[in-house]
Amino acid sequence: MSAATAEEAEPGAEDGRAGPGVSQEARAARRREQRGWYFYDFACSVYSTSVLTVFLGPYLTSVAKAAADAEGYVHPLGIPVRAGSYFAYTVSVSVIVAVLIMPLAGAVADRTGRKKPLLAAAAYTGAAATAGMFFLGGERYLLGGLLLIVANAALAVSMVLYNAFLPQIAAPDERDAVSSRGWAFGYTSGAFVLVLNLVLFQGHDSFGLSEGTAVRICLASAGVWWGAFAIVPLRRLRDRAVVREAGAEVAVSGWRQLIATLKDMRRYPLTLSFLLAYLVYNDGVQTVISQASIYGSEELELEQSTLIVAVLLVQVLAVAGALGMGRLASVYGAKRTILGSLAAWGLTLAAGYFLPARTPVWFFALAAMIGLVLGGSQALSRSLFSHLVPAGKEAEYFSAYEMSDRGLSWVGPLVFGLTYQVTGSYRDAIISLVVFFALGFVLLARVPLRRAVAAAGNPVPERI
């Protein structure tokens, strides 16, 4: 408490919104927090890369197919589901579960000021569920679905709390760069672990492992990595004190605060307009990330090792893309840069529809195109939204943002799964996602961002 009190005396030390007038000591403390903050991306991005993007989709699909009846259907809870659609549907369910939890987590975090303990709980729940994927095998598709739901929901909740630190640790003119560095850290760790995964998977015979066991080790190792490196941000990030009424019940007031937040957001219609645009185009981004390996393995008939190399290429180029698009944003503004990336996304998916089967070189070209726009579009969207958040409402508003980021990204996987269920073609499923980027482009282009930032009571950057 004494340390927090001392820092409160420094203008701008308590909140990254205030840049000028901050002492050298306070700036150094803020830099330390920023470096710690980067490491949560470093910790959890391995789950998104190794588990969600590469291994779990094809592996869980194979497990579901092993448990399927003669017509190719499994029956979770008595519902007939084509085995090839099971993974996409499970991703949708995990997102709906996250929707029920994320707003409460954000409201409680802002009400109590205790973001770190909540971040720790979410991070280690997700890490434990991911490590438990080692026990998938045989026909345990229901266990796989359950662990996926828990891990995905925990990741979404943790990202609400993680993102809510951004306005507090970075001044307005720093946020594009800080957010981009965070994504770059995440893609760096994803690439490094994928190299290790590739060595293990390709050499599983020499290690005395079956292919399935090697995959399960790769899945579980992502959970171990997530839990190990989450220690760094949990040690360096600092909770800010909040003023609340004595004797208030945190859980009850959290729900009341959530209702108040939903009402409060109506006072900022331009912030809501940006969230709507982000909800639409990011739904497409998240669906491509989660379903690309299914498309590669099932439709293009590519080997698992090819998929690993392709995603590794995405990780490497995404680092350059995140940093490069951050620089473009400093020249042309974040909005124009994001709009350019959305056009590139649409063209990439259109090209993906025509990819010939069993030709890895064209799949690598597609992966390169995705990598160059993936990190930048996500990093700049996060930093752009931080300018639209009213002071003191970071976790609550970032819970709404995270609902758009991961929490409401269930429509895309559902559309993908339904398209495959109806047509039996993954090509039709992948091209159906173009509409998310086209509509998101139109909605974002209509948002007057300078007015939106000013309406939220924040200083308007020179370029946005």
Side-chain angles (χ1 to χ4, degrees):
M1 181 65 71
S2 59
T5 304
E7 287 196 7
E8 284 168 5
E10 294 285 355
E14 194 65 17
D15 195 328
R17 297 171 192 275
V22 181
S23 69
Q24 288 295 103
E25 184 178 348
R27 288 179 187 276
R30 192 167 72 193
R31 293 286 185 268
R32 175 179 168 81
E33 280 196 276
Q34 288 173 3
R35 288 191 292 270
W37 185 81
Y38 300 149
F39 266 91
Y40 192 70
D41 258 321
F42 191 85
C44 70
S45 291
V46 172
Y47 168 82
S48 298
T49 303
S50 291
V51 176
L52 200 59
T53 305
V54 178
F55 288 107
L56 188 58
Y59 185 73
L60 187 55
T61 300
S62 69
V63 172
K65 286 182 175 180
D69 58 22
E71 296 180 351
Y73 285 83
V74 290
H75 300 269
L77 304 178
I79 303 171
V81 173
R82 192 189 288 265
S85 295
Y86 179 71
F87 176 70
Y89 289 154
T90 305
V91 172
S92 290
V93 172
S94 73
V95 170
I96 293 171
V97 172
V99 166
L100 301 176
I101 304 172
M102 286 191 301
L104 178 60
V108 172
D110 279 338
R111 178 67 180 171
T112 64
R114 293 176 60 81
K115 295 184 183 71
K116 276 207 325 185
L118 292 169
L119 176 60
Y124 285 104
T125 297
T130 306
M133 292 177 184
F134 177 79
F135 299 102
L136 299 182
E139 300 180 359
R140 297 176 183 170
Y141 75 96
L142 288 175
L143 175 61
L146 176 62
L147 292 176
L148 171 59
I149 290 169
V150 173
N152 257 12
L155 177 65
V157 171
S158 73
M159 292 302 291
V160 169
L161 303 160
Y162 166 68
N163 287 335
F165 278 101
L166 179 58
Q168 296 178 329
I169 65 172
D173 60 352
E174 294 179 306
R175 290 182 202 160
D176 284 349
V178 170
S179 183
S180 295
R181 288 188 200 112
W183 283 108
F185 263 59
Y187 286 119
T188 299
S189 71
F192 175 72
V193 174
L194 267 183
V195 170
L196 300 180
N197 291 159
L198 181 60
V199 171
L200 178 63
F201 183 82
Q202 288 285 75
H204 62 82
D205 286 333
S206 61
F207 291 112
L209 302 172
S210 68
E211 182 176 302
T213 301
V215 170
R216 290 189 287 113
I217 290 174
C218 291
L219 292 172
S221 66
V224 175
W225 181 281
W226 185 357
F229 285 98
I231 295 172
V232 178
L234 292 173
R235 286 180 62 87
R236 291 198 174 187
L237 291 172
R238 176 173 68 80
D239 281 330
R240 271 69 175 170
V242 296
V243 178
R244 66 185 181 93
E245 298 176 6
E249 291 294 331
V250 171
V252 174
S253 62
W255 282 109
R256 290 174 181 168
Q257 187 62 55
L258 171 58
I259 296 172
T261 298
L262 296 176
K263 292 180 179 178
D264 185 68
M265 291 188 75
R266 292 158 54 189
R267 297 168 50 205
Y268 306 98
L270 297 180
T271 298
L272 285 175
S273 295
F274 173 81
L275 272 179
L276 175 61
Y278 181 69
L279 181 155
V280 173
Y281 71 74
N282 188 66
D283 203 345
V285 172
Q286 295 300 324
T287 306
V288 172
I289 291 172
S290 64
Q291 305 303 319
S293 59
I294 291 287
Y295 182 67
S297 63
E298 299 294 322
E299 184 67 36
L300 302 183
E301 303 176 30
L302 299 175
E303 298 291 334
Q304 184 76 64
S305 57
T306 301
L307 298 179
I308 296 173
V309 173
V311 175
L312 179 59
L313 180 62
V314 169
Q315 301 305 299
V316 173
L317 291 179
V319 174
L323 298 177
M325 287 180 65
R327 293 183 178 180
L328 286 175
S330 67
V331 177
Y332 299 105
K335 179 179 177 179
R336 289 182 180 179
T337 306
I338 294 171
L339 288 173
S341 76
L342 296 183
W345 271 108
L347 292 173
T348 300
L349 287 182
Y353 177 82
F354 295 103
L355 285 186
R358 298 181 297 279
T359 53
V361 64
W362 290 111
F363 193 71
F364 291 152
L366 186 72
M369 293 170 67
I370 290 175
L372 289 173
V373 296
L374 175 60
S377 58
Q378 292 178 316
L380 291 177
S381 296
R382 177 170 64 186
S383 62
L384 194 55
F385 182 70
S386 72
H387 295 288
L388 307 179
V389 178
K393 299 180 181 292
E394 292 83 9
E396 295 172 46
Y397 274 59
F398 265 108
S399 72
Y401 174 85
E402 193 63 25
M403 287 176 67
S404 298
D405 188 359
R406 300 173 195 271
L408 291 183
S409 296
W410 57 271
V411 179
L414 182 61
V415 168
F416 188 94
L418 284 174
T419 302
Y420 176 75
Q421 179 128 352
V422 171
T423 68
S425 169
Y426 283 108
R427 291 185 187 273
D428 292 338
I430 202 73
I431 200 65
S432 70
L433 302 179
V434 171
V435 68
F436 290 94
F437 297 101
L439 182 57
F441 183 100
V442 172
L443 293 173
L444 178 60
R446 293 170 57 88
V447 179
L449 285 175
R450 289 188 172 277
R451 280 202 287 138
V453 175
N458 295 322
V460 181
E462 183 179 349
R463 289 185 177 86
I464 189 167

